[in-house]
Amino acid sequence: MLKLKYLFQNKDLAEMILKNWSYDPESLDMFQYYRISSNAVYPFRDQGEVRLLRFAPVEEKNQINLSAELDFLRYLRTNQYGAMETVPSHSGTELVEAHTPWGTYYASVFKRVSGSQLGSIDLNDSILYSYGQALGELHHLSRAFMPEQKEERWTYTDVLDWMQEILKGFSGETAALNEVEFLRTYFATWPMTQQNFGLIHYDFELDNVFYDEGNQSCYAIDFDDSMYHWYAMDVEQSLDSLREEIEPEQWEQKNQLFLNGYWSKVGERYDLESMFPACRRFANLYGYVRMLRSVAEQWSYEPEWMSGLRARLARIMTEKAEQFGYPI
C-alpha cells in the first residue's frame, strides 16, 4: 500500500504520464474511475480499446522488481497463460520513468483482460474449479521459468529483511520485530524444492482474477506483489479470499473444488495444508508492516476520507497483530 499522501486523485499527473503512450483524448473522462492502493490506476481508451495506466512514485517501488514482473508476464503470455498484457510506450519500453512536477514515477500501461472480476460474480462450481486451475497452471509454468534479466524478483527473505528495516524505525513494535525473526527461523526449516517453491503471484485473490464466460477461462492481473516463496502461500491467500464469499456450511465442498482444480494442473500432490498457518502469519505480518508504513505520517485537518481510512486500517492492523508471538 502506498503512503497516504500518494492516495489523492491527480488527473493532471495521470494525463502528463499518459502522454508517453497513445490514447483517445476524449476518453480521459474515464479517469473518474481511478483507484489507488499499491499503485494509482487510471482507465482510458486507445483506438476505442480500454487500457489501464498504472504508476507509483519511484521511492515506493523497486525498479528491479517491476522489470522482473514484466519479464514474468511476457513468459506467461508466451505460454498462452491468461495474464494481463503490457502496451509499449512511444519509446518502445514497457516501463517508463516519468519526471513530473510531483516527482518521478514508474509507469506502465496494460490492456484490459476479458471477463468479469471474480469478486463481482456468482461463484458457481464450474468457476471455482476454473479459479483453482488458473492458480495451478500459474505454478506449473513458474517451475520452468528462467528470468531474462540477471536481477531476479525479490524473495520471501528479502521481504522479511524489508519488514525488519521498516519496523526498526518505529518504537514499540517489538512484537512485530519478534514475529519477523520467528518466521525467518520457522521457514528456514522448510524443504525448498522445484516442486514446492518458486515465483508466486502472492495476491491471487478474487479482485485480481477475471472469469470469461465465453471461453470459461480465468485471467490474472496485478502481479505487482510477486515474490519467490512456497507455492502454498498463493493457495492460502486465494482460499482466504474465497472464504469471505462462501457460506460456512458450503466451505468444505467449495474449498475442495478449488483444490481439485489446482491439483489438476499442478500434477503430483504434496502436503500443502500443513504450510497454511505459517503462510497466513507471513501475510498478516506483511500487511501489518505495509499499513504501519503507510499511515506513519499524519497532518492537521486531514480530509474526512483519509481520517476514515486511517481508522479502518488501524482496526485491520489490530486484527493482524493478534497472532504475533503465538506458536504455530
Side-chain angles (χ1 to χ4, degrees):
M1 182 175 182
L2 299 176
K3 291 182 177 179
L4 295 189
K5 66 182 179 181
Y6 295 122
L7 301 188
F8 289 90
Q9 182 186 28
N10 191 332
K11 293 182 179 179
D12 290 333
L13 170 62
E15 183 175 353
M16 189 172 182
I17 294 175
L18 182 57
K19 287 182 178 178
N20 288 281
W21 285 267
S22 299
Y23 65 95
D24 301 336
E26 65 274 12
S27 72
L28 295 188
D29 60 352
M30 294 176 65
F31 278 4
Q32 64 184 301
Y33 303 112
Y34 78 101
R35 62 180 178 84
I36 308 177
S37 181
S38 296
N39 296 278
V41 178
Y42 285 77
F44 67 98
R45 286 191 177 87
D46 179 25
Q47 299 183 57
E49 298 294 323
V50 176
R51 303 283 186 258
L52 300 168
L53 169 67
R54 189 188 80 180
F55 60 88
V58 295
E59 58 266 27
E60 294 284 301
K61 297 294 177 179
N62 180 307
Q63 187 176 19
I64 292 174
N65 283 341
L66 292 175
S67 297
E69 174 196 10
L70 299 177
D71 185 10
F72 190 44
L73 286 173
R74 285 193 298 274
Y75 166 77
L76 292 175
R77 293 193 58 79
T78 298
N79 286 275
Q80 289 75 53
Y81 184 79
M84 58 188 191
E85 180 180 356
T86 57
V87 177
S89 65
H90 292 313
S91 63
T93 60
E94 295 176 305
L95 181 64
V96 167
E97 186 173 319
H99 301 278
T100 79
W102 298 273
T104 305
Y105 288 76
Y106 290 129
S108 293
V109 165
F110 301 93
K111 296 181 180 180
R112 187 189 184 281
V113 299
S114 61
S116 302
Q117 214 170 33
L118 289 186
S120 66
I121 62 176
D122 179 36
L123 298 173
N124 61 39
D125 289 357
S126 175
I127 293 175
L128 279 176
Y129 189 82
S130 180
Y131 181 31
Q133 283 186 310
L135 184 57
E137 180 66 15
L138 177 65
H139 290 171
H140 174 71
L141 290 171
S142 178
R143 289 174 177 173
F145 175 57
M146 297 293 292
E148 294 178 5
Q149 59 182 44
K150 291 182 179 180
E151 300 89 352
E152 294 185 351
R153 188 86 192 192
W154 66 350
T155 70
Y156 81 95
T157 55
D158 294 322
V159 177
L160 289 170
D161 291 343
W162 177 85
M163 290 192 282
Q164 188 172 48
E165 285 304 308
I166 296 297
L167 290 168
K168 286 179 179 177
F170 294 87
S171 60
E173 290 296 336
T174 305
L177 276 168
N178 289 341
E179 185 78 354
V180 172
E181 288 308 312
F182 170 78
L183 289 174
R184 193 190 302 278
T185 302
Y186 194 86
F187 283 133
T189 67
W190 282 11
M192 188 183 294
T193 68
Q194 185 180 18
Q195 182 188 37
N196 68 16
F197 187 94
L199 187 57
I200 68 169
H201 185 286
Y202 186 77
D203 201 14
F204 204 81
E205 301 180 1
L206 298 179
D207 288 348
N208 288 327
V209 183
F210 288 66
Y211 183 75
D212 187 328
E213 184 68 40
N215 58 27
Q216 298 183 329
S217 297
C218 288
Y219 295 84
I221 66 169
D222 198 4
F223 286 71
D224 187 42
D225 283 329
S226 293
M227 67 180 75
Y228 284 90
H229 208 306
W230 283 270
Y231 294 125
M233 183 78 246
D234 260 351
V235 180
E236 161 58 20
Q237 288 278 74
S238 299
L239 290 175
D240 186 67
S241 172
L242 189 58
R243 190 185 294 271
E244 299 176 6
E245 303 297 322
I246 303 297
E247 295 297 329
E249 62 272 14
Q250 295 182 314
W251 173 247
E252 289 303 322
Q253 181 220 351
K254 303 297 186 182
N255 170 65
Q256 197 57 54
L257 266 173
F258 175 89
L259 289 174
N260 287 345
Y262 176 78
W263 290 119
S264 73
K265 294 294 184 179
V266 169
E268 182 182 352
R269 299 192 180 208
Y270 60 93
D271 182 16
L272 271 178
E273 296 188 16
S274 66
M275 307 169 84
F276 288 169
C279 290
R280 177 50 32 206
R281 292 278 284 271
F282 181 93
N284 285 343
L285 178 63
Y286 191 26
Y288 177 89
V289 175
R290 294 168 86 176
M291 291 179 195
L292 180 68
R293 177 182 178 275
S294 178
V295 303
E297 292 180 277
Q298 199 160 359
W299 302 271
S300 300
Y301 311 115
E302 291 180 346
E304 186 176 344
W305 68 262
M306 183 178 284
S307 299
L309 176 60
R310 191 183 293 280
R312 185 166 67 85
L313 292 178
R315 290 193 296 271
I316 296 173
M317 288 172 63
T318 299
E319 293 173 2
K320 291 184 179 299
E322 287 178 351
Q323 289 188 326
F324 291 175
Y326 282 89
I328 293 178

